Amino acid sequence: MSAMRQNVPTIEPQRLGAPLVLQNVHKRFVQGGRVSHVLRGADLQVGASEIVALVGESGSGKSTLARTIMRLYTPDEGSLMFDGRDVTTARGRDLREYRQRVQMVFQDPFASLNPTHSVRTILKRSLPPRLQSLRDKERDDLFRDALEKVGLTPPDNFLQQFPHELSGGQRQRVALARSLAGRPDLVLADEPVSMLDVSLRLGVLNLMLSLNEQYGIGYLYITHDLASARYVGARIAVMYAGDIVEEGPADTIVEEAKHPYTQLLIQAAPDPDRRGVDDLDSAVFTGEPPNLSMEIQGCPFQFRCPHVMDKCRKEVPMKRPVGDGQLVKCHLYA
Ligand SMILES: Nc1ncnc2c1ncn2[C@@H]1O[C@H](COP(=O)(O)OP(=O)(O)O)[C@@H](O)[C@H]1O
Ligand SMILES: [Mg+2]
């Protein structure tokens, strides 16, 4: 660490991002003897300083995947690698270090900020141990820097404010500032704008893009809205019934979708000219995702797929490359 960086507090990440690799991640919950299969063999990669948009219908397991990446849950099967280290079952100091480098921003800025804490206290509590020893003045400089970077200016006006004094958009900016204070490599943003007024959404999404560009912070942007996935993500990963069925460069996914589910998603997505209703949950789909209690043999999309074949009911398709950086889990491309 340079002498300059020690004297001038800043949120610049110490590294330029780090890759995350999930392989075959399963997560089951057992409640009153009933098993729910929420993640069913999900594979995902987020490259260093990359923005990946994870898109899927409500209930497809997006939040569970994010919580598993944060290691709030431990996968029942499969592995989680970060920056070349296996963190699938990391504990103690290793887990704390990992959680410092990977931060999370939640959907509901009202619920995620403690209402009894000022913005200063909220930011203070997010600091990693190595920054806890800063003197008050240095710490405030760091916070001012973070608040300025998320567009809350002048920062001194915001440090002593409480969440109820802020608008939804300002709260989500505080949540983003908090995610930055620990200098993360990767931020998991779980539907960060879905509870904001439509007029504020673009500002928060653009903020993520600019923080990515300026500081190399990687993002996993989780959404059920294909239009915003395309806007934010360099790559898009499509989730269905606890699995990632297709991923690739954002434009390729939208223009040359290969998986029948992705094709259905894109057909169902409304015209981009009719913004505001582009919401997968309201889109018209035939059929329902499989029941969570069901153990599926073969492909999770077999029950709704217009191209279903015998093989789909027997074997889980492997993830295969079908184009430049495009990967699909479907027997049609075997
Ligand atoms: N702790 C849990 N115990 C039992 N079921 C859960 C648990 N967490 C999530 N689920 C179920 O898993 C499914 C996927 O949830 P979630 O990951 O929140 O999906 P998404 O974020 O895509 O809407 C939902 O049907 C939800 O009810
Ligand atoms: Mg969710």
Side-chain angles (χ1 to χ4, degrees):
M1 193 184 284
S2 71
M4 198 178 94
R5 176 163 284 162
Q6 278 188 334
N7 294 338
V8 183
T10 138
I11 58 159
E12 255 86 335
Q14 292 169 307
R15 319 151 198 92
L16 262 182
L20 173 81
V21 181
L22 275 74
Q23 277 182 310
N24 190 34
V25 170
H26 288 258
K27 185 66 207 164
R28 297 178 279 270
F29 297 105
V30 185
Q31 260 176 340
R34 245 192 87 202
V35 184
S36 299
H37 301 266
V38 179
L39 298 180
R40 303 178 187 255
D43 298 307
L44 180 70
Q45 296 203 19
V46 183
S49 303
E50 186 176 47
I51 306 187
V52 174
L54 177 67
V55 65
E57 286 167 89
S58 150
S60 56
K62 303 181 298 297
S63 294
T64 303
L65 191 71
R67 287 170 180 275
T68 306
I69 294 172
M70 274 315 280
R71 279 293 317 286
L72 300 171
Y73 302 141
T74 298
D76 293 312
E77 278 174 57
S79 67
L80 193 59
M81 303 277 297
F82 182 72
D83 202 9
R85 285 200 210 164
D86 190 331
V87 290
T88 320
T89 56
R91 295 168 59 173
R93 201 181 140 171
D94 289 344
L95 182 58
R96 279 196 300 278
E97 262 179 36
Y98 168 66
R99 285 201 182 135
Q100 222 65 71
R101 297 182 65 183
V102 181
Q103 296 282 321
M104 190 145 170
V105 174
F106 296 92
Q107 177 172 16
D108 185 352
F110 296 81
S112 65
L113 302 181
N114 187 325
T116 66
H117 288 165
S118 66
V119 169
R120 178 185 276 111
T121 307
I122 288 166
L123 294 176
K124 213 183 260 181
R125 296 214 160 190
S126 70
L127 286 178
R130 67 175 186 280
L131 295 176
Q132 292 287 357
S133 57
L134 287 177
R135 284 190 302 261
D136 282 357
K137 183 184 166 309
E138 290 170 327
R139 204 150 52 188
D140 272 2
D141 284 346
L142 181 78
F143 296 159
R144 283 192 197 96
D145 185 53
L147 290 173
E148 271 175 5
K149 286 185 161 107
V150 299
L152 293 175
T153 52
D156 284 303
N157 289 2
F158 290 94
L159 277 176
Q160 62 261 24
Q161 286 198 306
F162 287 82
H164 69 88
E165 299 175 290
L166 306 173
S167 70
Q170 288 173 334
R171 278 180 231 216
Q172 212 53 326
R173 285 173 194 269
V174 171
L176 281 166
R178 174 172 64 178
S179 77
L180 297 178
R183 302 177 186 172
D185 297 84
L186 175 66
V187 173
L188 313 175
D190 190 357
E191 311 224 26
V193 300
S194 64
M195 296 192 61
L196 300 184
D197 198 272
V198 174
S199 63
L200 298 170
R201 291 182 182 177
L202 201 58
V204 171
L205 295 180
N206 284 338
L207 174 60
M208 281 172 29
L209 288 173
S210 101
L211 294 170
N212 166 262
E213 201 176 295
Q214 292 180 66
Y215 309 110
I217 298 169
Y219 284 88
L220 181 67
Y221 168 64
I222 297 176
T223 180
H224 58 258
D225 167 20
L226 193 64
S228 78
R230 188 182 197 182
Y231 182 74
V232 173
R235 283 199 305 130
I236 292 179
V238 179
M239 193 156 196
Y240 181 75
D243 198 0
I244 309 261
V245 297
E246 180 162 10
E247 64 176 272
D251 291 342
T252 312
I253 293 295
V254 176
E255 284 155 21
E256 294 162 57
K258 294 285 192 297
H259 196 284
Y261 176 67
T262 316
Q263 292 172 348
L264 187 68
L265 267 191
I266 286 160
Q267 278 167 25
D271 212 275
D273 296 335
R274 291 192 293 131
R275 278 283 164 88
V277 289
D278 40 3
D279 185 326
L280 298 187
D281 292 335
S282 63
V284 185
F285 283 102
T286 48
E288 293 275 309
N291 195 297
L292 291 181
S293 63
M294 188 163 71
E295 231 175 312
I296 302 175
Q297 249 211 329
C299 173
F301 194 55
Q302 60 182 285
F303 314 100
R304 292 166 82 179
C305 184
H307 309 288
V308 63
M309 307 176 285
D310 257 2
K311 198 178 182 182
C312 309
R313 301 193 179 94
K314 294 185 187 128
E315 275 173 53
V316 181
M318 292 200 334
K319 192 173 231 178
R320 292 187 182 82
V322 285
D324 207 4
Q326 189 175 12
L327 295 158
V328 63
K329 267 189 183 174
C330 176
H331 287 307
L332 287 175
Y333 304 93

